[in-house]
Amino acid sequence: MSATITPYEDGPLIVRGDFELRTPDGETIDPARGTIALCRCGKSAIKPFCDGTHKTFGFKAGTKRD
Ligand code: FES
């Protein structure tokens, strides 16, 4: 299983590749597609997925640790 996770500036984490998404209890979450966007702003109504809400309140986050 190999996946890449890319933090987008001021946006979600984009997950591409071969991955499995699970709840903290270990239940599988159907991603419904091969590439997904995971919310990192905490405001999405469809967590763990991004619904675009981060754009409405000006979420700020970089793309790498400095
Ligand atoms: S990162 Fe997009 S809604 Fe949270």
Side-chain angles (χ1 to χ4, degrees):
M1 189 168 290
S2 177
T4 61
I5 303 172
T6 307
Y8 272 64
E9 187 168 358
D10 305 333
L13 301 171
I14 303 298
V15 183
R16 297 181 178 93
D18 189 15
F19 62 86
E20 191 169 354
L21 188 60
R22 293 185 180 199
T23 68
D25 295 334
E27 293 180 41
T28 299
I29 299 172
D30 181 3
R33 56 185 62 114
T35 298
I36 61 170
L38 295 177
C39 176
R40 66 172 172 154
C41 76
K43 302 287 189 184
S44 174
I46 57 168
K47 293 181 194 85
F49 304 104
C50 169
D51 66 358
T53 300
H54 62 271
K55 296 176 188 168
T56 67
F57 70 94
F59 175 66
K60 296 291 180 199
T63 59
K64 54 188 167 183
R65 299 173 74 184
D66 292 320

